[in-house]
């Protein structure tokens, strides 16, 4: 423990080699000053011997107290036990300083015939106890700081694990939702189109699912990649609706590196198709633009006479994922004529501290 750097860091929180060396020297000089009458001239050898004795006392005090401190940390490692651990450490400091002084003087009395006088030495011992307490307080302050930092880090990791689990659940919720709707589309194509059209639809659908697999577990994705997915999805839908479904893409090149929640654009396009009439008489036009740092998706409201059952997952899913990842919220506007949703464009640095892009 004394010579192993790894163990010193493990139990003390830092490598105390230099702190220990300097501290013992300071404590030895303080002990020498308190117990030696410096007003009387003495031979150098006598002064040196007195200091050497003080150095031995200081070294014994330091290492014994340090060993007790480490033992207490092993027994009471938690922050909640700090008051008990510090109280016991202070008691150990007082006891150690007095016992070491008593035993040391008792041993030296065999050579000096000097009796141990506790009252005479009590004031100096009190000073030694105070100095020892202050030096051990530095150890405790470092230990408390490291424990506190570890506790905060563990709390952040716990938050991150919870948020990540929620994001995973939402992402896993969105993908079956998409799968359910594409199966409905495939059923319509089988009913109304040729077998070849259905086969082509399945081929294109496999490309889309390949993209979903490649995107992995990312919580954010670039607009460029999301557009590639969304356009593939629209390409599939055009197998069903033809020119009755029209998309206007107005995305400046400079915005392509910005990030949004994966599948969010696709879910908005899916909602527009699902809840509005798409026919030759009433073609559905969806506009996808970037405005004031947001990706804006809007369409004219063309309510169907018979609505399909809604799972109500799309917008809520996007809202929840944005709330977990960023402090920026999505905006939804329905004025009765136009339905508009705007998604904040994010940078990796704008995520909440406990939300990772990848995991």
């Amino acid at each position: 423990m004394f010579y192993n750097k790894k163990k010193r860091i493990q139990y003390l929180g830092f490598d105390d080699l230099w702190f220990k060396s300097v501290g013992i020297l300071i404590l030895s000089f303080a002990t020498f000053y308190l117990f030696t009458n410096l007003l009387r001239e003495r031979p150098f050898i006598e002064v040196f011997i007195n200091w050497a004795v003080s150095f031995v006392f200081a070294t014994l005090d330091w290492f014994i107290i340090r060993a007790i401190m480490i033992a207490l940390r092993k027994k009471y490692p938690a922050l909640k036990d700090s008051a008990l651990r510090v109280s016991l450490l202070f008691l150990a400091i007082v006891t150690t300083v007095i016992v070491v002084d008593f035993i040391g003087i008792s041993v030296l009395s065999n050579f000096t015939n000097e009796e141990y006088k506790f009252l005479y030495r009590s004031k100096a011992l009190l000073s030694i106890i105070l100095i020892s307490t202050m030096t051990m307080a530095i150890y405790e302050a470092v230990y408390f700081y490291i424990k506190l930092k570890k506790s905060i880090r563990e709390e952040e990791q716990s938050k991150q694990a919870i948020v990540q689990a929620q994001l995973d659940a939402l992402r896993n919720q969105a993908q079956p939702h998409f799968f359910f709707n594409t199966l409905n589309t495939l059923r319509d194509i089988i009913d109304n189109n040729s077998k070849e059209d259905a086969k082509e639809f399945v081929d294109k659908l496999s490309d889309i699912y390949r993209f979903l697999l490649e995107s992995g577990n990312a919580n954010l994705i670039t607009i460029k990649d999301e557009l590639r997915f969304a356009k593939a999805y629209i390409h599939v839908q055009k197998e069903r609706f033809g020119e009755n479904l029209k998309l206007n893409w107005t995305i400046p090149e400079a915005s392509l590196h910005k990030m949004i929640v994966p599948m969010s654009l696709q879910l908005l396009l899916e909602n527009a198709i699902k809840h509005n009439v798409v026919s030759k008489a009433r073609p559905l036009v969806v506009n996808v633009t970037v405005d004031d740092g947001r990706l804006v998706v809007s369409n004219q409201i063309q309510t169907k006479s018979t609505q399909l059952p809604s799972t109500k997952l799309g917008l809520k899913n996007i809202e929840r994922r944005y709330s977990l990842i960023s402090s920026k919220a999505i905006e939804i506007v329905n004025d009765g004529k136009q339905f508009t949703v705007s998604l904040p464009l994010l940078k990796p640095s704008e995520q909440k501290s406990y939300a990772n892009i990848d995991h």
Side-chain angles (χ1 to χ4, degrees):
M1 186 189 307
F2 299 137
Y3 304 104
N4 189 311
K5 180 179 178 180
K6 186 176 179 180
K7 286 192 174 182
R8 287 200 299 268
I9 295 174
Q10 178 186 348
Y11 293 117
L12 300 173
F14 69 108
D15 183 5
D16 73 331
L17 181 62
W18 289 106
F19 178 71
K20 176 177 59 183
S21 303
V22 173
I24 289 173
L25 282 174
I26 292 173
L27 188 59
S28 67
F29 279 113
T31 305
F32 170 70
Y33 173 79
L34 291 168
F35 286 111
T36 304
N37 183 1
L38 298 178
L39 296 176
R40 184 166 65 86
E41 289 189 7
R42 299 166 181 268
F44 173 77
I45 188 65
E46 185 181 342
V47 171
F48 178 78
I49 291 173
N50 284 339
W51 173 80
V53 170
S54 298
F55 179 80
V56 171
F57 279 36
T59 302
L60 289 171
D61 285 340
W62 191 288
F63 278 102
I64 293 171
I65 295 169
R66 181 174 175 272
I68 294 171
M69 179 179 66
I70 291 171
L72 288 172
R73 288 182 182 181
K74 289 180 180 179
K75 188 172 179 61
Y76 306 107
L79 283 175
K80 63 182 179 65
D81 297 324
S82 294
L84 175 62
R85 188 178 61 253
V86 169
S87 300
L88 291 174
L89 178 61
F90 179 72
L91 183 62
I93 291 170
V94 174
T95 304
T96 301
V97 169
I98 293 173
V99 169
V100 167
D101 187 69
F102 174 75
I103 293 175
I105 296 300
S106 297
V107 171
L108 290 174
S109 64
N110 294 323
F111 304 98
T112 62
N113 296 320
E114 181 182 348
E115 293 184 5
Y116 184 79
K117 298 176 182 178
F118 178 76
L119 291 177
Y120 171 75
R121 301 179 67 83
S122 59
K123 290 184 180 179
L125 286 175
L126 180 61
S127 299
I128 300 301
I129 289 170
L130 290 175
I131 295 171
S132 298
T133 301
M134 286 188 289
T135 55
M136 293 302 122
I138 295 173
Y139 275 116
E140 279 299 312
V142 172
Y143 181 75
F144 183 81
Y145 171 74
I146 290 170
K147 278 287 184 182
L148 184 62
K149 195 162 73 168
K150 182 182 178 183
S151 176
I152 292 171
R153 185 169 63 249
E154 287 174 350
E155 185 179 353
E156 287 297 313
Q157 288 172 345
S158 178
K159 283 182 182 178
Q160 181 178 321
I162 293 169
V163 168
Q164 195 61 62
Q166 292 173 327
L167 286 167
D168 289 344
L170 289 166
R171 184 167 44 246
N172 293 334
Q173 182 187 66
Q175 291 179 6
H177 174 70
F178 168 71
F179 184 59
F180 170 78
N181 285 288
T182 51
L183 284 179
N184 281 337
T185 302
L186 178 58
R187 184 189 61 191
D188 290 340
I189 290 175
I190 292 172
D191 288 341
N192 302 312
N193 298 70
S194 67
K195 182 179 179 180
E196 290 302 317
D197 289 337
K199 287 173 65 177
E200 186 178 355
F201 177 88
V202 171
D203 289 339
K204 289 175 180 175
L205 191 59
S206 68
D207 291 337
I208 292 175
Y209 274 96
R210 186 179 297 112
F211 170 81
L212 290 176
L213 291 172
E214 288 174 354
S215 64
N217 294 322
N219 294 330
L220 288 177
I221 193 171
T222 63
I223 291 181
K224 183 178 180 180
D225 288 336
E226 179 72 8
L227 275 176
R228 183 161 59 92
F229 172 48
K231 287 181 177 180
Y233 169 75
I234 291 300
H235 193 73
V236 165
Q237 293 301 320
K238 278 185 173 288
E239 292 294 320
R240 179 182 176 190
F241 297 108
E243 293 304 313
N244 300 329
L245 176 62
K246 298 180 180 179
L247 270 290
N248 295 324
W249 309 93
T250 312
I251 311 292
E253 188 77 22
S255 299
L256 292 178
H257 68 281
K258 296 293 181 63
M259 308 189 88
I260 59 173
V261 167
M263 294 185 70
S264 55
L265 175 56
Q266 179 274 326
L267 283 170
L268 295 180
L269 296 175
E270 184 180 302
N271 272 359
I273 295 169
K274 181 177 179 180
H275 297 294
N276 293 279
V277 173
V278 186
S279 65
K280 188 173 183 180
R282 300 181 69 188
L284 179 65
V285 180
V286 182
N287 299 302
V288 182
T289 61
V290 171
D291 181 38
D292 193 26
R294 287 177 170 268
L295 183 68
V296 182
V297 180
S298 62
N299 62 272
Q300 189 173 354
I301 297 174
Q302 301 176 171
T303 308
K304 292 179 177 179
S305 56
T306 57
Q307 287 285 346
L308 290 171
S310 175
T311 56
K312 298 181 180 179
L313 291 178
L315 288 175
K316 288 183 179 179
N317 185 291
I318 299 169
E319 282 183 306
R320 184 61 181 146
R321 281 199 280 168
Y322 261 103
S323 70
L324 289 171
I325 291 173
S326 169
S327 56
K328 296 181 179 180
I330 75 171
E331 295 178 359
I332 303 170
V333 179
N334 185 348
D335 61 7
K337 294 182 178 180
Q338 196 84 5
F339 188 80
T340 304
V341 180
S342 65
L343 306 174
L345 301 183
L346 304 174
K347 297 177 182 177
S349 58
E350 291 175 324
Q351 292 185 108
K352 290 180 179 177
S353 61
Y354 48 80
N356 290 332
I357 291 181
D358 298 305
H359 67 98

